[in-house]
Structure formats: C-alpha cells, structure tokens
Amino acid sequence: MALWIGIDDTDSRKAGCTTYVAAVAMRRLEALGARLIGYPRLVRLNPNCPYKTRGNAAVAFKVEGVELEKAEDVMTGVIEELSELDEGAETSIAFLRGEPDERLRGFYWRAVRELIPLEDGFRVAEEVGAKLIYYNGGMGIIGALAAIGADLSLGKTYELIAHRRREYWGTVRRIDPVSVFDMDRATRPYTFDNIDPESGEIRIAPHTPCPVLLGIRGVNPEILEKAFKMIRIYEPIEFVTIFETNQATDVHYQKLRTSDLSDGVSAIVEGIVAEAPRIDVGGHVFFKLRDMHGEIWCAAYEPTKSFRKLILQLIPGDEIVAYGAVKQKPQGLTLNLEKIYIRVLVENIIERPPTCPDCRKRMTSMGKNKGFKCRRCGTRLPEECKEIVRVPRAIKPGFYEVPPSARRHLTRPLMLGELLRDN
Ligand SMILES: [Zn+2]
C-alpha cells in the first residue's frame, strides 16, 4: 500500500528549508528500497497566515515499498538532524496509508483560503487515520496534512529546485546571471519569474542562507530540465528535485462581495471606483471600491512600484475587478492589490471656466452656478458658458499586475495567460 508523507514548518525565520528536508528524506527512503510515486509536491498555503515562516510552504510525497515504522524512523532522523527545532520550528510530519479522501481535500482548500485552528488539524488527522509526529507546538501539522490532501486538479505548475552542498550554505551563490537572462529569453513563458523586469534582478536564487541554490518555475517538468541545463553554475550541487506545485494558479482567491470580506482571505472583488485614488506620505496608493453591497479600501503599497502609477490613473466610475489579500487596517478592511482587470473606463470629463471673449484670459468662477467673471476686464458670462473638456484616458482596459517581487507565490502571473489550461 502506498504511503503519503507530509512535512511542514522545518524552518524558523532564519534558515533551513522544507524542500531540502524532503529531498534528503526521499533519498534516504529510496536507499532503503522505497519507490517514489509521481512528483513530490510543494504546496503553498494561505499567504495571509500571520504566523507563517517564509512563503508558507509544505511538502508531501508518496512512496511504496516501505513499512510505516521504518518511514517514521527515517523521517524523525532527518528532521532531528536538519530541522530548526532549537529555533522554535514547529516541525510536523503526517503519514497517511492509501489515498487522501474528500475530508483531507476539503482540509487543503481551507488551508489555502482560510486560517485553520490547530485543533481542526488534530481532528481531521484522527478522522482520516493519519499519524502525526510533531515538535514544539506542532503548528506544522496543518501544512503537513494539507500537502497530502492537496487538490491540483484546478491547475498546477512545477518547480525545479537545486540544493547546495552544506559547506556552501550561507556563501554567495555562484550562478552566472547572464546565463539566467539567456535562459529566460529562450524558455519564457513556459518558465516564469526568472527575473524581475522592473529591477533587473535575478529571481531564481534566494538571498537567504538556506540550502536552496536556485528554483526555476515552469509549466511542465521537461521545460525545467531544459532551462536548468542552460544555467552556468560554478559550485557543486547536492541534488536536483522537481516538485509539482500549486504556485501561480490563483487557487487562494475567492470571488466575494464587499459585504462578505474578512481579515485574512484572498478575494476577487468586482466593483466601481468610488473615490479617486490618492498617494500618501509612504508612497502607498489608496482608493475606495464600491459594489452593490458596500465599499472597501483598495491599496497599492510602495513595493508594488510602477503598478501604483496605473492605479493613480483610475477615476470614479471605472469598472474593475480587483484581486488581493484582505487585511484589517486602521481605515477598515483593505484589499492589498495583486492584480486588477479594468473592464470599463469612463470618460474623464472636466468642467472649467471659459476664456474671456474680449481678452482671451481664463475667467474665474463666481461660485457654484453663479457664472464667470473676467479678472482683467470685468466681462461676465453665465454658467452655461462653462467649458467641457474630455481628457483622454492614459490607460486601456485589460489586466495589470504588481511586479514579481511584490507578487505572492500562489498568484498567477499574467504572462502565463491561458498556458495553464493546457497543462
Ligand atoms: Zn476679459
């Protein structure tokens, strides 16, 4: 019988990496005669989780030909050797014999879209007969169980991860950046997030002292192997693993009305711009979005860079679809924008005083509906003489997104377009 093993929360905020722990564990199990079935999974959970470590990722894989007790020994051995238990990591391992059923699938969907209390994790494990081993508080059981239950039927992508030899951890990664740009040009959009076009930075290599040398994301395993071969690397590699993943699939979003929004969910909200966007002292841009049920603040924060310029072009009346994470802020519930679809742009009509027929100077309004007066020659004109100007809109309807550095792992980049449907 197949055995599913899920792992989560091996890393404190400082170092360590769940993918590395999984990769080591899989190889040790294989050395004992176990066979890996399919690709291991790298599963991202609700990105709004307040207690998440980096990226809120969990891993699960399926093996055959190994006894549960033997697998437990291997897993606890690897965790105790590599996990950041002294740093407070609430590392957890879940074991499930056979295939996950609807209860664990449902648990996965909640873990992606909600904040799940720890008790619910223990309860579902008991219901489905999953065995748990956990350290410290055991918060990782949520991710370990959700990774086993992961439902990738609505779309998946793949990530190739190359791990570093231990003696290189914490040192500068020796990757030729030029080869990354070449790889990006040759394989895009079948690979994505290789570079940040706005900053020109390479995005496949992290900057943390963790065991990951690089990770390449793509729509199928074949393109990842091809892309990896194109990168010039000047350090030995420990091993390379391809994961299937829910990254870049938009599965965290729910279509919600403004009245149904709550702290911690990721939402798609359709509405009309109710108040003109304005920029505040920190460089953050805010505006109000209204639907038939109420209003919500939308925010494009400073790290969203040039996306803010787009948002500042919106005017009241524009119809948009906003994608983002809902957070409780002092001004009220706020949708932290990740992308928007502009459906309809209204005409930007400005009314202003006419020019004086005698001296050609712009006249002055004498108050609302009180007509106009020329400051120079005293000529008066009635209100009906006001000038109506149609200001051309500087933007077009369509999809717009934040730069990759401000996008969350689960959010689908626009460059993927319809590609995922074919995979
Ligand atoms: Zn005049």
Side-chain angles (χ1 to χ4, degrees):
M1 195 195 261
L3 177 67
W4 276 100
I5 302 175
I7 317 165
D8 191 22
D9 204 2
T10 58
D11 38 336
S12 67
R13 282 166 200 280
K14 205 172 78 184
C17 187
T18 307
T19 59
Y20 182 75
V21 168
V24 170
M26 290 188 296
R27 280 158 183 86
R28 288 196 191 163
L29 287 164
E30 281 183 307
L32 291 172
R35 285 179 310 282
L36 276 168
I37 316 288
Y39 289 97
R41 289 176 183 164
L42 169 56
V43 174
R44 301 286 178 172
L45 304 174
N46 187 348
N48 310 322
C49 203
Y51 43 79
K52 69 174 179 181
T53 49
R54 282 193 325 275
N56 214 11
V59 172
F61 55 87
K62 182 158 80 163
V63 287
E64 264 179 9
V66 64
E67 291 299 314
L68 176 61
E69 294 68 31
K70 196 81 204 160
E72 283 176 27
D73 286 347
V74 170
M75 295 308 299
T76 51
V78 173
I79 296 288
E80 279 157 32
E81 189 182 319
L82 296 173
S83 203
E84 306 279 325
L85 299 176
D86 298 339
E87 305 285 334
E90 305 201 3
T91 308
S92 306
I93 321 163
F95 301 88
L96 181 79
R97 284 190 218 254
E99 292 302 315
D101 66 12
E102 285 311 307
R103 291 172 291 186
L104 221 42
R105 294 238 180 277
F107 188 78
Y108 160 74
W109 283 110
R110 285 186 62 204
V112 168
R113 294 178 166 177
E114 302 169 23
L115 306 177
I116 303 189
L118 189 55
E119 312 87 82
D120 290 18
F122 287 111
R123 192 180 312 130
V124 80
E126 202 175 316
E127 280 171 18
V128 303
K131 168 145 194 188
L132 300 174
I133 295 175
Y134 57 93
Y135 300 84
N136 297 321
M139 204 58 205
I141 68 161
I142 305 278
L145 289 162
I148 294 176
D151 178 1
L152 304 180
S153 63
L154 294 186
K156 62 180 166 185
T157 62
Y158 294 82
E159 181 162 353
L160 178 151
I161 296 180
H163 287 105
R164 315 181 81 185
R165 292 251 187 100
R166 187 176 270 263
E167 60 268 31
Y168 286 84
W169 295 2
T171 66
V172 172
R173 289 167 174 81
R174 284 151 227 216
I175 298 169
D176 176 3
V178 175
S179 69
V180 178
F181 281 90
D182 290 344
M183 177 276 279
D184 180 65
R185 267 190 298 275
T187 61
R188 186 175 63 203
Y190 300 97
T191 66
F192 54 92
D193 279 357
N194 299 311
I195 52 169
D196 190 323
E198 207 158 309
S199 66
E201 268 177 40
I202 286 162
R203 290 188 51 78
I204 63 168
H207 299 293
T208 50
C210 78
V212 173
L213 175 65
L214 60 85
I216 311 171
R217 293 164 185 193
V219 298
N220 62 53
E222 296 75 31
I223 195 74
L224 292 181
E225 297 198 24
K226 184 183 160 196
F228 180 61
K229 283 190 193 126
M230 297 180 72
I231 296 173
R232 287 187 290 277
I233 297 165
Y234 303 107
E235 66 173 72
I237 291 165
E238 178 85 44
F239 36 60
V240 173
T241 314
I242 293 180
F243 293 86
E244 58 177 24
T245 163
N246 63 353
Q247 291 169 165
T249 58
D250 278 353
V251 289
H252 56 316
Y253 290 124
Q254 306 174 69
K255 253 191 176 173
L256 293 170
R257 304 161 162 184
T258 52
S259 52
D260 293 336
L261 298 172
S262 59
D263 189 26
V265 302
S266 295
I268 303 173
V269 185
E270 294 182 39
I272 287 175
V273 176
E275 249 176 53
R278 54 184 170 74
I279 191 156
D280 86 359
V281 280
H284 315 304
V285 173
F286 294 93
F287 68 94
K288 265 188 181 170
L289 185 68
R290 180 194 305 140
D291 68 5
M292 284 163 57
H293 310 277
E295 283 186 341
I296 177 143
W297 282 103
C298 290
Y301 289 105
E302 192 281 329
T304 66
K305 302 293 171 196
S306 66
F307 181 72
R308 293 171 301 162
K309 288 190 196 134
L310 178 275
I311 296 299
L312 283 169
Q313 294 290 328
L314 294 171
I315 60 172
D318 287 343
E319 282 177 42
I320 65 165
V321 184
Y323 295 67
V326 179
K327 295 267 165 71
Q328 187 65 55
K329 293 280 174 179
Q331 70 269 19
L333 281 178
T334 301
L335 192 70
N336 185 354
L337 293 175
E338 289 161 7
K339 52 186 173 185
I340 68 164
Y341 178 70
I342 299 177
R343 188 172 277 153
V344 178
L345 292 169
V346 291
E347 278 191 305
N348 190 10
I349 294 170
I350 291 177
E351 293 178 359
R352 61 177 179 183
T355 49
C356 173
D358 296 329
C359 56
R360 308 269 168 218
K361 281 278 165 194
R362 181 76 52 198
M363 298 174 83
T364 309
S365 171
M366 290 161 58
K368 210 169 162 61
N369 296 320
K370 285 190 179 141
F372 309 98
K373 184 181 180 180
C374 178
R375 283 251 170 93
R376 182 181 287 190
C377 68
T379 301
R380 287 173 183 247
L381 284 177
E383 188 67 21
E384 300 85 83
C385 294
K386 70 189 171 197
E387 231 175 76
I388 294 173
V389 187
R390 283 195 168 78
V391 183
R393 301 297 303 269
I395 50 175
K396 293 190 172 71
F399 266 112
Y400 298 88
E401 68 184 345
V402 301
S405 56
R407 194 193 326 115
R408 272 100 62 84
H409 299 292
L410 279 166
T411 302
R412 177 153 73 193
L414 298 183
M415 67 181 289
L416 279 189
E418 300 294 299
L419 279 178
L420 284 177
R421 301 253 167 96
D422 308 331
N423 283 275

